[in-house]
Amino acid sequence: PAPDFSLTSDAGETVTLAGLRGKPVVLYFYPKDNTSGCTTQACGIRDAWGEFERRGAVVLGVSPDGEKSHAKFRDKLGLPFPLLADTGHATAEAYGVWVEKSMYGKTYMGVARTTFLIDEKGKIKKIFTGVKPDVHAQEVLAAL
């Protein structure tokens, strides 16, 4: 089963996995608002939004950024799906995507870009690791 969560959206609403039973959920974890890879990934989902809707999927983006950052990112890109604030990274930890990373010789903790396809009953159907932002939407749609 997928770990339940209760996170605040970019619109200030509380979203729980349990509240989405009956619909497939695309839960995608991304490192940071307004970075190139995360922008490419979000725009890919936005551009394929009609297909996600036709399949009845709920798409949720999750990062450690706060609600205000998410709202700016959503508005800038015209995203039709909510972004959830996991500022304490508890949800990322529950899903095993809060990991040690390294850049320029420094190590730090951060989100591993990962997507979970969760079925209507709340069970993880597929996990996408090593996500490539430019083909992410097509890969997820193919699995829905």
Side-chain angles (χ1 to χ4, degrees):
D4 198 9
F5 57 81
S6 179
L7 295 171
T8 305
S9 76
D10 50 23
E13 300 167 342
T14 300
V15 177
T16 64
L17 182 60
L20 299 170
R21 288 289 191 281
K23 298 178 182 181
V25 175
V26 175
L27 185 67
Y28 85 92
F29 290 87
Y30 66 99
K32 187 155 183 54
D33 292 338
N34 290 304
T35 56
S36 62
C38 298
T39 297
T40 298
Q41 184 176 17
C43 288
I45 295 169
R46 176 199 66 200
D47 296 348
W49 185 246
E51 276 303 310
F52 284 98
E53 280 191 311
R54 275 190 278 290
R55 295 168 196 216
V58 174
V59 177
L60 302 169
V62 183
S63 91
D65 294 309
E67 297 133 52
K68 287 181 183 175
S69 175
H70 282 340
K72 286 180 187 174
F73 189 50
R74 177 202 63 215
D75 292 347
K76 176 181 172 184
L77 301 178
L79 301 178
F81 54 89
L83 301 175
L84 307 181
D86 186 22
T87 53
H89 49 78
T91 301
E93 287 184 43
Y95 279 82
V97 300
W98 187 252
V99 299
E100 186 175 279
K101 301 172 93 176
S102 66
M103 188 185 306
Y104 307 119
K106 293 185 177 184
T107 60
Y108 61 97
M109 296 300 288
V111 170
R113 191 183 307 277
T114 308
T115 298
F116 295 83
L117 181 53
I118 302 167
D119 71 14
E120 296 83 352
K121 296 176 183 169
K123 303 255 189 262
I124 295 172
K125 180 178 170 185
K126 185 168 177 71
I127 301 171
F128 299 84
T129 58
V131 170
K132 292 182 174 60
D134 56 335
V135 296
H136 178 247
Q138 291 73 29
E139 290 178 345
V140 173
L141 284 169
L144 266 172

